[in-house]
Amino acid sequence: MKKLIKANDLIFETFIGSQQIAERINLLGKQIEAKYRGKKPLFIGVLNGAFIFTADLVRACEIECEIAFVRLSSYQGTQSAGKIKTIYGLEMSIEGRHIIVVEDIVDSGRTLNYFLDFLKKQKPLSVELASLLLKPDALKFPVDIDYLGFEIPDKFVIGYGLDYDGLGRNLEDIYQLKENG
Ligand code: IMP
Ligand code: MG
């Protein structure tokens, strides 16, 4: 039976369980581990949404690595309409580094399209992207995802780091907006 959660004015129902998320992330972690062993990659998690995914993904990779976070989103409500304003948090040089960007979800692709372009201009050795979720039907800007958790329908989701107006980030499972709720 589906569990229901209320966040402000909206009702959400369970969609992807924590067990399934953990299994998928372990697989992605092992892929990254095999590719980056000995290369000391720098993981860059995109705040706030990717804080839990980043924490779990880096622990699934048993390799020497560094971890940083940036904040760039200007997303509000359930529509990905806002533009990216500024990038906060990336004080270190990424020149000559292997970079793995960690994002919670690629929706329109606007955020990552912008941020990956920005990173590639700083002369890193390589840039790859891990995203827990992708809404293929919502994609408007080209984004290559190297490590993808799940493809999902174009419906708003919360939980496991993702929020609706600030709520729901601490939910263990991922919940989907309930239609006609
Ligand atoms: P994009 O720039 O349209 O790809 O949107 C990216 C950002 O919007 C993500 O990093 C999320 O923080 C947020 N976002 C997009 N879709 C959802 C959703 O279904 N739930 C929660 N946040 C979302
Ligand atoms: Mg995000």
Side-chain angles (χ1 to χ4, degrees):
M1 214 182 65
K2 290 199 169 169
K3 197 169 142 190
L4 300 181
I5 289 273
K6 195 165 183 293
N8 280 346
D9 51 328
L10 298 180
I11 310 280
F12 293 83
E13 58 188 6
T14 38
F15 177 47
I16 308 174
S18 56
Q19 186 67 36
Q20 203 185 340
I21 297 170
E23 283 167 15
R24 186 76 193 125
I25 291 176
N26 271 324
L27 269 175
L28 299 180
K30 292 302 150 202
Q31 286 175 24
I32 294 172
E33 183 180 305
K35 181 158 178 184
Y36 286 93
R37 188 180 299 286
K39 295 184 173 169
K40 210 198 283 182
L42 170 65
F43 289 91
I44 302 180
V46 182
L47 292 172
N48 292 332
F51 79 111
I52 297 181
F53 178 41
T54 307
D56 283 345
L57 186 66
V58 296
R59 285 180 295 174
C61 299
E62 293 178 62
I63 51 169
E64 189 185 22
C65 66
E66 290 182 52
I67 301 152
F69 286 94
V70 292
R71 166 187 275 281
L72 19 106
S73 164
S74 56
Y75 195 86
Q76 278 170 348
T78 60
Q79 290 296 308
S80 187
K83 291 209 171 85
I84 293 93
K85 290 179 195 152
T86 330
I87 296 162
Y88 299 99
L90 200 66
E91 288 92 14
M92 71 234 283
S93 162
I94 62 161
E95 190 173 337
R97 299 294 307 265
H98 291 287
I99 307 298
I100 304 165
V101 175
V102 186
E103 175 63 307
D104 54 356
I105 183 165
V106 174
D107 184 14
S108 72
R110 184 198 303 268
T111 313
L112 265 295
N113 178 281
Y114 174 88
F115 185 52
L116 293 175
D117 262 16
F118 168 87
L119 289 178
K120 284 170 188 163
K121 287 178 192 148
Q122 329 282 311
K123 302 197 186 89
L125 266 185
S126 66
V127 179
E128 284 199 315
L129 170 64
S131 181
L132 180 66
L133 303 171
L134 166 69
K135 293 177 180 169
D137 297 338
L139 205 59
K140 294 196 189 85
F141 299 81
V143 174
D144 273 340
I145 303 177
D146 303 283
Y147 308 96
L148 175 65
F150 305 92
E151 278 193 8
I152 63 168
D154 188 7
K155 283 189 198 175
F156 203 75
V157 290
I158 60 170
Y160 196 78
L162 293 121
D163 75 302
Y164 167 57
D165 282 351
L167 299 174
R169 294 196 196 275
N170 60 326
L171 297 166
E172 255 197 315
D173 304 312
I174 294 173
Y175 290 72
Q176 189 177 54
L177 184 62
K178 189 174 183 325
E179 305 291 331
N180 315 312

